[in-house]
Amino acid sequence: MDPNPITDAAFSQRLRQMGIATPNPTMSNSSTASPVAGPSSHSVSRPTPQQNTTLNALDARQRIQEAVDVQSQNPSAGREYVDVGVLRQILAMRDRGSAAPDIEKRLRLKSGVVARVGPPGVIAPLSL
């Protein structure tokens, strides 16, 4: 069983005593570690979002948040992004037989939002 540093006080104390690990660079031909850490080693070149999946996801999240902010400033234009409550309303109205254009008009959504939810039966609201 792995020790848990949160619940095992002795293990947590040993970790604190050991402190932060410092890397020990190797001197092999394939090593990418620098044997001498100079002032220039502190400069970090960051990958572009296209090169890094995490940065790509964060960049997309930021673009979506900006679009939601613009949408909230002009609610009369119709909503494209909806919260869970509106999504639940869409599903409930669709299950009762309402047509997509009627749902979009009633909930003040942009045309095509209901279709992007997917065909009936793919997702459904959870009833507890």
Side-chain angles (χ1 to χ4, degrees):
M1 180 164 64
D2 288 336
N4 185 343
I6 295 172
T7 59
D8 187 352
F11 180 68
S12 182
Q13 179 61 29
R14 286 192 303 271
L15 287 177
R16 277 194 290 280
Q17 287 173 348
M18 290 176 13
I20 298 172
T22 55
N24 187 10
T26 61
M27 301 300 181
S28 70
N29 293 335
S30 63
S31 174
T32 59
S34 173
V36 178
S40 64
S41 66
H42 293 289
S43 64
V44 177
S45 65
R46 296 185 180 174
T48 64
Q50 294 75 21
Q51 296 170 324
N52 185 307
T53 307
T54 302
L55 291 178
N56 195 13
L58 291 173
D59 189 47
R61 171 66 176 88
Q62 183 177 4
R63 285 193 314 269
I64 292 170
Q65 182 61 52
E66 289 169 358
V68 169
D69 292 343
V70 169
Q71 171 182 291
S72 67
Q73 293 172 359
N74 189 9
S76 63
R79 295 183 294 179
E80 183 174 1
Y81 298 98
V82 297
D83 59 18
V84 173
V86 174
L87 180 60
R88 190 175 178 89
Q89 288 177 337
I90 291 170
L91 295 172
M93 292 173 74
R94 191 169 66 180
D95 286 347
R96 288 192 301 261
S98 297
D102 296 336
I103 296 171
E104 291 166 349
K105 182 177 179 183
R106 183 167 179 188
L107 297 177
R108 293 175 294 183
L109 304 172
K110 285 187 176 180
S111 178
V113 171
V114 174
R116 286 198 314 259
V117 170
V122 173
I123 61 171
L126 179 65
S127 56
L128 299 175

